[in-house]
Amino acid sequence: MEMLDRISSLVKKIEKNEKLGNYIFVSLASPTVKAKVKRLKVSRYLNDKIFDLCLGFKDKTGNFPEWIKIDIITDTKQVEFESLKKEMEMTRRNYIDYGVSYDKDYILSFLPEEINANAFLKPSKDKTGLFFSETNVNNYLDKYKYPKKAKLKSKYKPYRNQTYKTKQVIKFYTKSYFIEEDEIIELHDRGYNKGLRRIENHHEEIDRLIHTSVSYLKEQIKEGGQYVYGYFPHFDKKINFYNNLRHSSSTYALIEGLAYLKQDVSVAKPPLDYIIDHYLYEYEGAAFVYDDSNNIKEIKLGQNAAFVFAICEYLKYYPDELDLLKAGQAAAKGILHMVDSENASTTHVLNYPSLTVKDKFRVVYYDGEAALALLRLYQIDKNPIWLDTVKLLFEKFIEEKYWKYHDHWLGYCTNELVQIENDKRYFEFGIKNVAGYLDYIKNRETTFPTFLEMLMATYHLLQKAKQYGYEDLIEEHMNEDEFLNVIHNRADYQRLGYFYPEVAMYFKNPQRILGSFFIKHHGYRVRIDDIEHYISGYVQYQSAFSLNRDERKLNHHHLSGRIIEYKP
């Protein structure tokens, strides 16, 4: 479809569905060009005006825009600027869902997407709150919004909050339509779902998100097996840090996603080899994954655990990789070194290479990760010491009510433990891990992707509980219909953490982040472990609920019940 025809179809649909006011906003972008946002006065020749903007975009960039987004003003309110500024500074970071105009003709005005993507609200130096950043506003005005309009300088530039301290501004809401290729997409216009595209086929859409995000994560693997760790996309800044725990857990999710898509999982071997070749410290038959980022030189319990369950996931598809198995078994012995065999007390962090205690406790989630790793390895080599240690840990988890931490790793582990051990206490523990937390999950403003992982682990646990006749436990602790409703709601809501083009277009380098996942309130951070949790949750969800799940049976060589015997 030609550009003018696409625009005509878009305008026709908008005019049919919406009541237009005096102005609309047109955002034009492509994967390599950040969105140019223009306000247009509504007239009879709206098609031609939008097309003229597209021609101007082509003159400057060499090509027509791939993405066109139209925002219609649906509601306005005159407010004191100082009051609105305080409201914005009290809103969760990057969650502004309205625009602001500093004049009645919307000459100096910003869509909510511009406000959020350009970090107009920044964390204060002491991290106690947000402040409205004049620096970031002026950076955006000078580089993108009005770079060559000198006549605006005297009135609007440079921007100063003080200029509007005693003045009124317009707070406005919008409804958006977006053109992607020849498709016109309507976006949600209010509430937490603001800006999220409306879809018809829920599971087909999630499959598409899994496909692009798995491809994105795979493309982050550098020569040698290390990942590009991540980006802060406001200004296209690379994250200058690394974490080997997240390296391994992300590799686990990559394998899981590749397998779901029926793609070759062998591309995940270099990241496993990277840890073995560079960060596996062996001592008296045990192995410890260490980290030297920023010269910290430490060994984390969770680091060993993530390495073990990533290896176990890989061995599902390549069971003859005995060197990997040996590395995983050695790292599991390292886990045992950090778990007291009498009372299951754990040591979370050791110094490298002395193996002296650095932190007895770091984060509670290490314990669940360790239990999951040992249980996954037990299912491969049947070494009873792994299972015995997990059962010992669970005695501690139950006694100390670890369910109150609502840990998705413990959710995974509990579900797998009950496949091996029919103990009603394990079922009750797993159910309590979610029960009483459903309202919080349902109403949570952030996407928090580990929620879906935990919910799906619990879903499988409930199915097993029914097989063993423990319906009374389920009825005692939760409303199953409400539980299922929360699962489906969270699966859809998590799409708000996906870089659709209509979201990515407002950032400095759209192609860098397109098709990935992000954490919005952490500066739209795109980090390998952020992507990991979205992938894992969605794969589990689709495997359980998608109508096409039977078609997802893998053609790879599985373990198929094969046991690799443990040799002491």
Side-chain angles (χ1 to χ4, degrees), residues 53 147 352 405 424 468 492 567:
L53 291 178
Y352 165 78
Y405 301 119
K424 191 173 183 178
Y468 283 132
D492 186 53
K567 295 181 181 179

Side-chain angles (χ1 to χ4, degrees), residues 537-553:
Y538 271 144
V539 166
Q540 293 299 318
Y541 177 76
Q542 290 292 88
S543 298
F545 295 113
S546 174
L547 295 177
N548 297 322
R549 62 187 181 275
D550 291 336
E551 301 173 10
R552 292 264 169 217
K553 291 179 179 177

Side-chain angles (χ1 to χ4, degrees), residues 441 444 446-447 451 455 486-494:
I441 295 174
R444 182 67 176 177
T446 60
T447 52
F451 281 164
L455 290 168
V486 172
I487 288 177
H488 295 305
N489 283 343
R490 289 307 300 185
D492 186 53
Y493 190 71
Q494 272 191 189

Side-chain angles (χ1 to χ4, degrees), residues 67 72 93 99 133 137 146 174 178 213 219 275 296 326 345 385 435 483 488 515 532:
W67 304 321
I72 299 99
R93 185 182 178 192
S133 172
V137 174
Y146 301 124
T174 59
F178 181 75
S213 58
E219 289 167 3
I275 296 295
I296 57 174
K326 290 177 182 178
S345 173
I385 195 171
F483 171 70
H488 295 305
E532 159 205 338

